[in-house]
Amino acid sequence: MRRLRQQSNLRNSRQNNLFLDTYTGASFAVSIRKLKNAYIGPCMRVRRDSDDTEKDIYFKFVEGTGYIVDIDAIIGFCFTASAFVVKWYDQSGNNNHLVQTTASSQAKILNAGTAYTNNSLPAIYFDSSFYEIQNTVALLAPYCFLQVSKKESPVFSAITDSTSSYAFVAFSDNRNYTATTANTKFFVNTASNLVLAINWIDDSNLIVLYNGLNPTITNVVSARTNTVNIYGMWTGLLNTGYAQESILFSEDKQTDQSAMNTNLNDFYNVY
């Protein structure tokens, strides 16, 4: 009970000063929570599978939590149908929305009228049929990438190259952090629930935090220059897992990395 009260207080303290108001300059930022006071757009666009009608869903203020995706609006739109995510809107102001227009490749936010959640907060669910949302942001060093997610299958990849052949970040069953081949940036093997903060300065300077830990880094390879997918697949393995937030800064954020990691954990209560 004490932990829950502390969690509520931490969330309430950030309602007037949201994440992107404190940490500026993001290239893209998608989340189930509102990240920027000036952002007045929707959180996501969903498709109702009973008739394929689509609807933009905005944020709703929830006491003790703050502004999060309006699950009640999704349920009111779908009733007992399922809701698939067509577009996850970029809150950075750069219009780098994560989009998947192919119905068979869309992730879910609602299953037969019941919302997916992770740690008592809404989550987007990816399974072997709904594995990919794409955007067109180039991943070039230096950058800082933040993510809140949960793996369910042995591998749940976070960022892949634009061909979906290789993962830039993948979650597996162990706790090492490594690069695999010359075509891969790196992958991190983690616990099920994850708060990840990667600050890639150059090929010899990579700082990683996951769940407050600094994992061992080996075999780091050169940064790639092509665009990336978010929640793509790794070497043909499809994803099963939950996603709640992904933010990319196309700059060195080493001085803010630890504080940003803490901010994410304070809200999502992962570790």
Side-chain angles (χ1 to χ4, degrees):
M1 181 65 70
R2 182 180 179 184
R3 173 62 174 166
L4 290 174
R5 284 198 300 269
Q6 290 174 336
Q7 200 68 29
S8 177
N9 290 337
L10 285 166
R11 289 171 177 170
N12 284 334
S13 70
R14 290 180 170 84
Q15 288 168 13
N16 295 323
N17 194 24
L18 303 183
F19 187 91
L20 292 182
D21 297 322
T22 301
Y23 307 108
T24 60
S27 296
F28 79 82
V30 296
S31 180
I32 58 92
R33 62 170 171 162
K34 187 174 180 179
L35 296 172
K36 190 175 184 179
N37 274 306
Y39 181 74
I40 59 173
C43 175
M44 62 183 65
R45 186 170 185 83
V46 301
R47 175 181 61 84
R48 182 173 61 200
D49 71 344
S50 58
D51 60 2
D52 291 331
T53 301
E54 297 181 7
K55 181 180 179 67
D56 280 340
I57 303 297
Y58 288 76
F59 296 96
K60 177 182 179 179
F61 182 79
V62 176
E63 188 66 35
T65 299
Y67 286 94
I68 60 173
V69 61
D70 191 346
I71 290 297
D72 290 338
I74 301 177
I75 293 173
F77 174 60
C78 294
F79 296 99
T80 58
S82 296
F84 292 80
V85 179
V86 177
K87 182 183 292 187
W88 202 357
Y89 286 97
D90 174 22
Q91 298 183 49
S92 73
N94 295 314
N95 294 319
N96 288 317
H97 313 302
L98 305 187
V99 179
Q100 180 54 267
T101 57
T102 302
S104 61
S105 294
Q106 291 168 351
K108 282 184 181 180
I109 185 74
L110 195 74
N111 182 48
T114 300
Y116 286 103
T117 62
N118 185 35
N119 284 358
S120 302
L121 289 168
I124 296 175
Y125 181 69
F126 294 75
D127 69 18
S128 58
S129 298
F130 320 102
Y131 66 86
E132 178 176 84
I133 292 180
Q134 301 177 338
N135 77 349
T136 56
V137 178
L139 196 66
L140 299 171
Y143 71 84
C144 182
F145 176 72
L146 308 168
Q147 179 162 290
V148 180
S149 56
K150 178 183 178 181
K151 77 171 184 66
E152 192 172 78
S153 62
V155 174
F156 176 57
S157 59
I159 310 181
T160 70
D161 66 14
S162 58
T163 66
S164 295
S165 298
Y166 297 96
F168 288 122
V169 182
F171 312 152
S172 192
D173 288 331
N174 302 312
R175 292 191 177 217
N176 300 315
Y177 193 94
T178 184
T180 53
T181 72
N183 289 322
T184 324
K185 255 193 195 318
F186 40 74
F187 68 89
V188 60
N189 300 328
T190 73
S192 293
N193 278 287
L194 175 72
V195 171
L196 178 68
I198 300 170
N199 199 71
W200 182 295
I201 301 170
D202 54 45
D203 290 349
S204 61
N205 197 349
L206 172 63
I207 303 169
V208 178
L209 294 174
Y210 71 80
N211 294 357
L213 304 174
N214 292 105
T216 302
I217 303 169
T218 59
N219 302 327
V220 177
V221 296
S222 298
R224 301 194 64 169
T225 59
N226 51 321
T227 59
V228 298
N229 294 342
I230 305 298
Y231 311 107
M233 62 182 176
W234 175 60
T235 58
L237 296 174
L238 302 180
N239 300 324
T240 306
Y242 300 84
Q244 291 173 304
E245 187 161 310
S246 292
I247 303 171
L248 177 69
F249 294 89
S250 299
E251 59 182 296
D252 179 1
K253 284 285 190 179
Q254 182 177 352
T255 56
D256 294 325
Q257 184 180 10
S258 179
M260 292 191 296
N261 186 85
T262 298
N263 178 289
L264 269 59
N265 187 57
D266 286 347
F267 188 83
Y268 291 100
N269 192 23
V270 172
Y271 61 88

